[in-house]
Every structure is written in structure tokens, then in C-alpha cells.
Amino acid sequence: MEAKTGLGAIRSMDYVILLCDDIEKMKRFYLNVFDFELEDEKPGIWVGFRVGSLYLGLRPRGRKYDGLQCPETSAAVQLSFRVPLADVDAAFEDLKEKGVEAIERPTNQDWAHRTLFLHDPEYNIIEIYADIHPRETASSPTGNHSLVNI
């Protein structure tokens, strides 16, 4: 059987990002109702929980999300799929062949991921990523996503 590469290399969903109108209210909800353990936080910008093997992140809606304004009609989620490192770039080529535009090309980020971002038809954000060594991260750390239209 032929090994799959690029988009075909996706085998699991690693994390979900929920865009929130009130990030503090959502944080208290997941802390108090579900008793999820807080994994990381940047007040007012980011809250992250570990839920088994899945990472659940909260980000504010209504402000620019990774450099792009999230459309009001969006379901406002980010789905993130981990692939082997070479498959981030292979997935980008797959998308181009299928006529799907990326909102950010493969990029080494300052949080030790090589990422590729795109929208689905409802403007939910899809991330294809691979873990990279910290020495391979962005040369100018930003501390946040900085998606641009390409």
C-alpha cells in the first residue's frame, strides 16, 4: 500500500480553538463546570486547557484573529491537524492543486510549530501543522499568530 503524504497524512485532530464573545466567562465555565485543568493563558488573548489528549483553546471573537477579522457568519472554530514535518509543505501543494487558497503559507512559528492555515467554506480556520525544534522557530518571535492574505 502506498504511503499517503500531504493532506492524506492527517490521522488525528490535535486541538480545537473556540472563538468567544466573553473569554473570561468561557474560562470560568470550563474551569468550574468541567473542572478542566488550565494549561496556559495570556489574559484577554488566550486560555488553554488540556482535555485528555486534546488541547482546547479559547480566543476572543470580534477582534482580529491571527491578523484576519473573523466573519460574523462563521461558526468561529479553529481545527488543527498534526502531520509529519514534510507534509505541511506537501499539504500546501495539495491545496494549490485543488484550487484552495491558504491564508498563510507554510511558516515556522515562534511556538515551535510549522504551520499552514486555510479557511473552510464557512470561514472556520483550519491549521495543518508539525512540531519543530525551538531553534527552527521564527527569527522574530511574535508571541501570537500573524496570518496574512497571500
Side-chain angles (χ1 to χ4, degrees):
M1 174 161 57
E2 186 177 329
K4 293 187 175 192
T5 60
L7 296 173
I10 295 170
R11 294 292 175 265
S12 66
M13 184 179 302
D14 193 55
Y15 59 92
V16 174
I17 308 300
L18 300 178
L19 301 184
C20 311
D21 291 321
D22 185 335
I23 195 169
E24 287 302 315
K25 184 176 183 179
M26 291 288 282
K27 171 186 161 184
R28 288 189 305 273
F29 175 81
Y30 284 103
L31 282 171
N32 299 331
V33 174
F34 289 96
D35 200 29
F36 289 162
E37 185 175 328
L38 187 65
E39 184 164 305
D40 56 11
E41 178 176 16
K42 189 170 183 180
I45 296 173
W46 181 263
V47 177
F49 301 96
R50 179 62 53 189
V51 184
S53 63
L54 182 80
Y55 182 88
L56 174 63
L58 307 176
R59 292 188 63 132
R61 180 194 332 250
R63 59 185 276 181
K64 287 194 173 185
Y65 177 77
D66 293 340
L68 300 172
Q69 191 67 40
C70 184
E72 291 299 319
T73 58
S74 172
V77 297
Q78 175 181 320
L79 304 176
S80 299
F81 300 99
R82 184 174 17 194
V83 298
L85 181 57
D87 288 303
V88 174
D89 292 85
F92 180 64
E93 294 304 318
D94 290 350
L95 291 169
K96 287 195 308 189
E97 287 175 17
K98 294 175 181 187
V100 177
E101 292 187 39
I103 54 176
E104 183 182 75
R105 313 172 172 256
T107 303
N108 287 2
Q109 304 292 353
D110 57 318
W111 58 90
H113 282 179
R114 182 160 181 79
T115 61
L116 163 63
F117 288 93
L118 60 138
H119 282 132
D120 71 11
E122 295 290 330
Y123 294 96
N124 294 301
I125 295 171
I126 298 172
E127 174 188 18
I128 309 295
Y129 83 97
D131 294 312
I132 58 174
H133 191 279
R135 73 173 169 264
E136 299 172 30
T137 59
S139 59
S140 300
T142 62
N144 57 27
H145 295 268
S146 57
L147 300 182
V148 294
N149 288 313
I150 56 173

